[in-house]
């Protein structure tokens, strides 16, 4: 074998291996896409993607509003407790000084 023939054989082998690799990746991509599609269909997200997106946006807004309400509730409870404590101290002082 001459150097040119060996180089040609190497190039052919490399090209063949690259093509096989590309075909494997295409097969894997096809399987992954089918799995994702089957999952989305099982969740009922196959029909109208815009409507599903709007539903998710609504759920996100609802979750944020609930979290905000929880934060406000916590602050209100702390304020009521602090006001009651200060009021009790004030009544104690007023009672003590009034005697």
């Amino acid at each position: 074998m001459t150097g040119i023939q060996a180089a040609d054989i190497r190039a052919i082998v490399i090209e063949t291996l690259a093509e096989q690799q590309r075909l494997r990746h295409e097969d894997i991509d096809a399987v992954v896409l089918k799995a994702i599609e089957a999952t989305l269909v099982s969740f009922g997200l196959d029909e109208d993607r815009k409507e599903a997106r709007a539903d998710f946006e609504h759920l996100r807004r609802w979750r944020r509003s609930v979290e905000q309400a929880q934060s406000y509730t916590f602050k209100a409870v702390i304020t009521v407790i602090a006001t009651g404590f200060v009021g009790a101290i004030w009544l104690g002082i007023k009672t003590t000084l009034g005697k």
Side-chain angles (χ1 to χ4, degrees):
M1 262 193 208
T2 65
I4 295 174
Q5 290 175 343
D8 289 339
I9 292 172
R10 261 190 234 116
I12 291 170
V13 168
I14 289 172
E15 238 179 85
T16 304
L17 290 175
E19 180 67 18
Q20 287 177 347
Q21 186 74 14
R22 186 183 62 76
L23 290 174
R24 275 192 230 131
H25 284 296
E26 288 176 359
D27 291 343
I28 290 171
D29 289 346
V31 169
V32 168
L33 286 175
K34 283 183 182 179
I36 290 171
E37 184 177 324
T39 303
L40 291 176
V41 167
S42 71
F43 288 138
L45 299 175
D46 60 328
E47 295 172 7
D48 189 6
R49 290 183 180 162
K50 287 182 181 179
E51 189 172 328
R53 179 175 294 173
D55 291 343
F56 285 126
E57 288 173 358
H58 173 74
L59 286 173
R60 179 173 290 132
R61 283 191 307 271
W62 183 65
R63 177 185 53 84
R64 287 181 180 163
S65 68
V66 167
E67 288 173 351
Q68 188 177 24
Q70 288 173 342
S71 174
Y72 288 149
T73 302
F74 178 74
K75 290 175 185 175
V77 167
I78 295 298
T79 302
V80 167
I81 290 172
T83 304
F85 184 70
V86 169
I89 291 175
W90 175 252
L91 284 175
I93 292 172
K94 191 174 177 185
T95 304
T96 304
L97 293 178
K99 286 187 176 183

